[in-house]
Amino acid sequence: MTRAGQEAYVEAVAAQQRASDPDVSAFVDANAGAGKTAVLTARVARLLLAGAAPAKVLCITYTRAAAAEMAARLLKLLGEWALADDRRLSESLNELEGAPGKARSAGELARARGLFARALETPGGLKIQTIHSFCETVLRRFPLETGAGPGFSVLDETESSALARAALRAVSAMAVEDPAVGDSLDRLMRLQEPDKIALLLIGQLLSRQKMDDALAHAGGWSALKNRCPDRFDVAAADTPDSIRAAALAAIGDAAVARLQAAFRAGAKVCQGYASNELAEFLTPNVSTDRFALLVRVFLKADGQPRNKFPDAGVKAAHPWAEQSCRDLSARLQAAAERAHAAGNCADTIALLTLLEEASGGYARLKQARAGLDYDDLISKTRALFRSGRNAWVQYKLDQGVDHILLDEGQDTSPAQWDVIEGPLQEFIAGEGARAGPRTFFAVGDKKQSIYSFQGADAALFDEKMQDLGKTLGASQRFTNEPLRLSFRSTAPVLSFVDALFNPEEAREGVTIGGPLRHEVRRVGQAGSVELWPLTPKADKEKVRAWDAPLDMIS
């Protein structure tokens, strides 16, 4: 290994040791393969060595698999300490704490050996939980305060999906008697296949955090639907047909007839428009969509005005025609965009109408089973920490948690951050309430954020790093430790990644701040990057409408 490589390794290990210091709150922004789980495990071990009660160390991971892996790593380490002789145990503790050659007393070694048994004997075991498991624990402690009920059950994804589908079936049955529901369902069914509409609604029912925030902000379903016209910049009474009709009235048949006559002086294309689309437009009582006929003539397929239109022959014979075409094209483009916005507004209101009924039915089905889904666990715990009973809840939780550790912080949604910060507030506000250090630790990698569809926001990790760092740093020691050295990959792969994301526009949505920088532990080892051609998108088979005539010609 080169001298530079050795120095990078030494600094990386030192950064890991600083981040795992049990007396310091920390945020760790780590690259892939930089030892996030190792640091998290080391920190819990050092907290236990420093005398923290296992029951008062709360570690929140993102998945059950991650929680199981961390618990297995920690118990393996503690088990090795329990069986190690004095020399091996001293070396292990010194390596963990970054204190080479430190002499260990018999009491220290005995305490380290006893941690394995102490962890196993802790009621309920080590508190290494997913965010949903933590919320379930809180709700079971405060069933009356949350309204969850003392005997609630947690619905898994299969059970929740089954109830959501049952709620949708009930909404479909309502469509026969309720005109608003029937019209909304009919509108959406004209846009998408029934299965896709069902999947969209089920997805909204099972992942409601963003919708719940929107409803709370707007003041309910009706208020949210009433806001849609403003959001789409249309009037409440606007429809696509009314907007198109108003545009045609403003243009007038006389202007179109004048342009038709001018086009006859042009080349083949303009003459074709004059004889076909414009002639059909001017035919009395024509059944064809007159607005669409003008759009076909004056706008391109992407909705933009045609370039160099009309042709030179028309301009030479009728110099006024070019400006007239520009004005008419601009008016058509504006009307088409506004009609599209009005259609989107109506579609959104239709979706909200169905979602309102489905949400009510889904909530009733869950209540009948005394069940809570995963979103309920988050939302009810979040509401509990925000409620008027917050002080009582904080006091009770404060007695059971001294240290909070968060894994995969980049995949934590705003609502989940609210849950995590609930018990954390007592660390800040109640510093003098109890003796002893109380810390917060978070680790994540913004480049690995993959749960934005569930509300996760990579940028939020940076914001919390700044905001919580300032708040925690005002009352205790705080550190921000970036881990850049990869123990997993090799230089060819990592240098390619850095080069790929070097342009600022390529980094957008991947990381916040300057260029990516990966350092390599496996110096000199081989690696390769293969660039594969993009797989062409397969042609989608056109679905035949269920009510199409049997003899319809495609």
Side-chain angles (χ1 to χ4, degrees), residues 81 196 217 347 349 353 432 517:
W81 287 356
K196 290 185 177 179
H217 181 71
D347 296 341
I349 292 174
T353 299
R517 183 169 62 86

Side-chain angles (χ1 to χ4, degrees), residues 147-496:
F152 72 86
S153 61
V154 178
L155 305 173
D156 61 25
E157 292 179 356
T158 302
E159 294 170 316
S160 299
S161 295
L163 293 184
R165 289 186 180 279
L168 287 186
R169 287 195 293 271
V171 171
S172 298
M174 289 175 57
V176 178
E177 301 178 356
D178 190 323
V181 173
D183 291 345
S184 297
L185 187 60
D186 182 63
R187 182 177 189 89
L188 294 183
M189 295 277 276
R190 292 176 186 275
L191 296 175
Q192 281 286 1
E193 301 162 29
D195 287 347
K196 290 185 177 179
I197 297 296
L199 288 176
L200 175 63
L201 290 168
I202 290 172
Q204 288 293 324
L205 291 177
L206 300 184
S207 184
R208 301 182 304 281
Q209 289 179 18
K210 289 185 177 180
M211 182 60 70
D212 287 346
D213 287 344
L215 288 170
H217 181 71
W221 288 101
S222 295
L224 185 60
K225 285 185 276 189
N226 290 338
R227 286 189 175 197
C228 285
D230 286 341
R231 177 66 181 83
F232 288 96
D233 196 23
V234 295
D238 281 344
T239 67
D241 288 342
S242 70
I243 292 170
R244 295 184 189 109
L248 291 179
I251 292 170
D253 289 3
V256 176
R258 190 181 182 208
L259 282 172
Q260 180 195 31
F263 280 9
R264 297 191 187 281
K268 182 177 180 181
V269 172
C270 283
Q271 289 183 13
Y273 286 144
S275 301
N276 297 306
E277 284 86 355
L278 297 185
E280 187 174 1
F281 177 90
L282 295 168
T283 301
N285 302 319
V286 64
S287 59
T288 311
D289 184 344
R290 299 178 81 224
F291 187 86
L293 288 171
L294 290 187
V295 166
R296 198 183 308 165
V297 174
F298 294 97
L299 299 181
K300 296 185 293 184
D302 62 359
Q304 297 299 313
R306 295 187 181 280
N307 301 320
K308 300 178 181 178
F309 188 77
D311 59 36
V314 175
K315 291 185 215 178
H318 305 282
W320 55 267
E322 182 176 12
Q323 186 60 46
S324 182
C325 284
R326 285 180 183 173
D327 294 342
L328 195 150
S329 297
R331 184 167 287 176
L332 284 174
Q333 182 184 17
E337 290 176 352
R338 196 155 173 258
H340 184 66
N344 285 343
C345 178
D347 296 341
T348 302
I349 292 174
L351 179 65
L352 292 175
T353 299
L354 297 182
L355 192 56
E356 179 182 6
E357 298 298 337
S359 294
Y362 180 54
R364 289 188 291 273
L365 289 172
K366 289 188 294 180
Q367 187 176 18
R369 293 186 51 172
L372 300 179
D373 65 13
Y374 292 147
D375 261 28
D376 290 327
L377 296 176
I378 299 292
S379 61
K380 287 185 177 296
T381 307
R382 183 192 194 189
L384 177 65
F385 289 146
R386 292 179 167 183
S387 70
R389 302 182 179 91
N390 182 42
W392 162 250
V393 173
Q394 294 284 18
Y395 171 76
K396 294 295 290 183
L397 287 176
D398 190 46
Q399 307 306 303
V401 178
D402 282 343
H403 305 277
I404 300 176
L405 299 91
L406 173 65
D407 189 19
E408 303 294 358
Q410 79 282 350
D411 283 324
T412 305
S413 70
Q416 292 168 347
W417 270 110
D418 288 343
V419 169
I420 292 162
E421 291 184 70
L424 183 60
Q425 294 306 314
E426 281 300 294
F427 286 27
I428 303 164
E431 181 186 2
R434 276 193 296 117
R438 315 187 69 190
T439 63
F440 176 73
F441 173 88
V443 61
D445 179 6
K446 298 183 292 294
K447 301 180 293 302
Q448 295 188 61
S449 180
I450 58 173
Y451 288 96
S452 59
F453 64 93
Q454 293 183 355
D457 184 357
L460 193 59
F461 184 74
D462 268 353
E463 292 177 19
K464 294 299 180 182
M465 187 186 301
Q466 298 296 325
D467 296 342
L468 283 178
K470 290 179 181 177
T471 306
L472 292 167
S475 59
Q476 59 183 257
R477 292 167 59 198
F478 174 81
T479 184
N480 177 2
E481 294 292 343
L483 300 181
R484 299 287 173 253
L485 184 69
S486 173
F487 293 82
R488 182 184 304 159
S489 196
T490 57
V493 176
L494 297 177
S495 59
F496 172 80

Side-chain angles (χ1 to χ4, degrees), residues 20-105:
S20 65
D21 187 338
D23 294 327
V24 179
S25 289
F27 264 80
V28 177
D29 181 13
N31 285 337
K36 293 190 295 292
T37 306
V39 172
L40 199 59
T41 305
R43 186 174 178 93
V44 176
R46 292 184 69 179
L47 284 168
L48 299 179
L49 279 172
K56 293 188 177 183
V57 178
L58 171 63
C59 184
I60 298 176
T61 63
Y62 205 77
T63 63
R64 293 178 183 176
E69 179 187 359
M70 184 182 167
R73 284 197 187 196
L74 183 60
L75 290 175
K76 180 176 182 292
L77 177 63
L78 299 183
E80 291 173 351
W81 287 356
L83 300 176
D85 57 32
D86 288 355
R87 182 183 62 80
R88 287 172 52 208
L89 181 53
S90 295
E91 290 175 352
S92 180
L93 297 178
N94 290 345
E95 181 180 358
L96 182 72
E97 297 179 354
K102 180 180 177 180
R104 300 285 174 172
S105 68

